[in-house]
Structure formats: structure tokens, C-alpha cells
Amino acid sequence: MSFTYAQLKQAVQDYTENTETTFVNNLPLFIRLAEERILKSVQLSLFRKNALANATASNKYLACPSDFLAPMSLSYEIDGDKVFVDFKDVSFIQTYTPDGAATGSPRYYAQFDVGNFILAPTPASNYVMELHYLYRPASLTSGAESGTTWLSENAELTLLYGALVEAYTFMKGEQDMMQYYTTRFQENLVGLKLLGEAKETTDEFRTGMLIRAKQ
């Protein structure tokens, strides 16, 4: 089972039995909010990517990719050896190089603001940095009516009930139905977390089968 963009919008209208114009106009918003909830709640390896960027001499800042959500690792090469930079808090960086004057091979980095990392020490020369990071995938709402995304094809119930929670909040619906939609969303979110944070990140040959407590 999967949803296209048009099918998901229709499903939300069918479940809520609401075709009022303002409600229908806000269907893309409900879907985007549901996607945001999922992205902030589950770490899926499918939403990781690598990007290269140039760290320039005497510049302690490194721009983040436009679709950046969270860092996984930052590295660069020196004489053929890969060096990984440790992620720290900005306060640590500012304490380590209080005036930003110290230069050398970067050892630490931090999220300085929404669009930039800060490196310490400040690069003494140019480096090609490789960032492995969690990114924000394109929303289902940004494509055609017949379009799909990984979430709409593989986490369709989580996306559906997430959108229904947002839709019913907009409608100021009955509390019992709101609780039902919220519970269904949470149940399906658990399954998605199991996929993203256990099944995707383990190897039975090396770690054995995943064992869960009996309910």
C-alpha cells in the first residue's frame, strides 16, 4: 500500500468527512506538518547524505548545505589520511580559541548558526571537507498529484495518521477521535523507529537477532 499526493489528500478528507474549502486548501499544510513530526522523531539512514565543501584558509566558518538538518560526521584528508573533526558546542569552540586567531588543522566544529558551522582552530590552509549529515527530503506536497515519496510509499500509515492529527487539530474535533488518531500515529511511529533505529542499523551476523521484551 502506498499513497500518491492526491490519494493522501483524498484519504484525509474521507476520514474526516470534511470537504469545506478552507480545510481542503490547508491539506498540504497538514501533510507537511506530519512529515516534519516524523523527521524530528525518527532517524532513518535513508535520509542521510554526503556533501563536499571547501574550508578556506583564515576563515573559521563553513557553510551548511541548504537541506541540512543535523550533522553525522565531518572529515577531511591530510596526506592521504582521513581526519575526523569532533562535534562540540559553540561555547567549547569559543573557549578553545577565544579570539579565533589560532590557526592549524581543524580539530573541532560546532553549529554556529542556522547556515554555518564554526571550525577550531581556524584552518591554516584550504581543505576539502566531507560532511555526512541528516537532510530534509523533498515534501510530498512539492511534487505532482501523482507523485510519491519514501514516506508515502513505506510509512504510509504514519504519514496518514500524522496528517489526520494535524487536520483534526485544525477542525477542533472531538477529543475521543483526536486521541484515536494520536494513538494510531504513535503506534505507527514506533514501527518506523524500529526500522530506522534498530533494523537498519544492526547486522544479525555480527550482533545477533533483535530481541524485544514480550508484551
Side-chain angles (χ1 to χ4, degrees):
M1 177 184 174
S2 65
F3 285 117
T4 65
Y5 180 29
Q7 288 171 338
L8 182 55
K9 288 191 294 182
Q10 187 61 54
V12 173
Q13 292 179 75
D14 292 343
Y15 271 71
T16 57
E17 297 181 337
N18 191 343
T19 58
E20 189 268 328
T21 300
T22 303
F23 177 83
V24 172
N25 289 341
N26 278 283
L27 287 172
L29 175 62
F30 305 151
I31 295 170
R32 289 196 301 272
L33 290 174
E35 291 171 331
E36 191 70 14
R37 280 197 184 204
I38 294 169
L39 287 173
K40 297 294 178 59
S41 301
V42 183
Q43 183 173 296
L44 293 164
S45 63
L46 293 157
F47 297 149
R48 299 180 188 179
K49 66 162 59 171
N50 277 33
L52 299 178
N54 294 316
T56 56
S58 302
N59 182 6
K60 61 183 177 180
Y61 299 108
L62 183 69
C64 301
S66 59
D67 57 357
F68 173 82
L69 276 181
M72 308 300 294
S73 68
L74 181 67
S75 63
Y76 59 97
E77 288 191 1
I78 296 181
D79 298 326
D81 294 326
K82 185 175 283 290
V83 177
F84 283 90
V85 188
D86 292 334
F87 186 70
K88 297 290 185 177
D89 189 79
V90 172
S91 60
F92 176 92
I93 302 292
Q94 293 172 334
T95 302
Y96 183 77
T97 54
D99 58 3
T103 62
S105 299
R107 296 179 56 191
Y108 308 107
Y109 76 111
Q111 182 85 46
F112 183 73
D113 57 28
V114 71
N116 295 280
F117 297 117
I118 185 171
L119 304 171
T122 299
S125 57
N126 297 338
Y127 298 99
V128 177
M129 313 294 288
E130 181 178 8
L131 177 68
H132 186 55
Y133 65 102
L134 191 67
Y135 77 100
R136 183 185 303 280
S139 171
L140 180 64
T141 64
S142 66
E145 292 289 309
S146 59
T148 61
T149 62
W150 189 92
L151 287 177
S152 75
E153 291 182 338
N154 299 280
E156 62 277 7
L157 290 178
T158 314
L159 188 55
L160 169 63
Y161 283 107
L164 285 170
V165 168
E166 300 299 338
Y168 221 61
T169 301
F170 176 86
M171 292 170 58
K172 301 176 178 60
E174 297 294 333
Q175 284 301 307
D176 57 341
M177 286 304 299
M178 174 62 79
Q179 183 60 49
Y180 173 75
Y181 289 144
T182 300
T183 299
R184 292 299 304 272
F185 173 69
Q186 294 295 336
E187 289 173 351
N188 285 282
L189 193 63
V190 168
L192 193 59
K193 286 176 70 68
L194 178 61
L195 172 64
E197 298 168 19
K199 292 180 180 178
E200 275 191 341
T201 56
T202 58
D203 182 334
E204 286 188 0
F205 180 77
R206 294 177 174 82
T207 63
M209 294 182 65
L210 182 66
I211 304 299
R212 294 185 297 278
K214 293 182 178 180
Q215 300 298 319

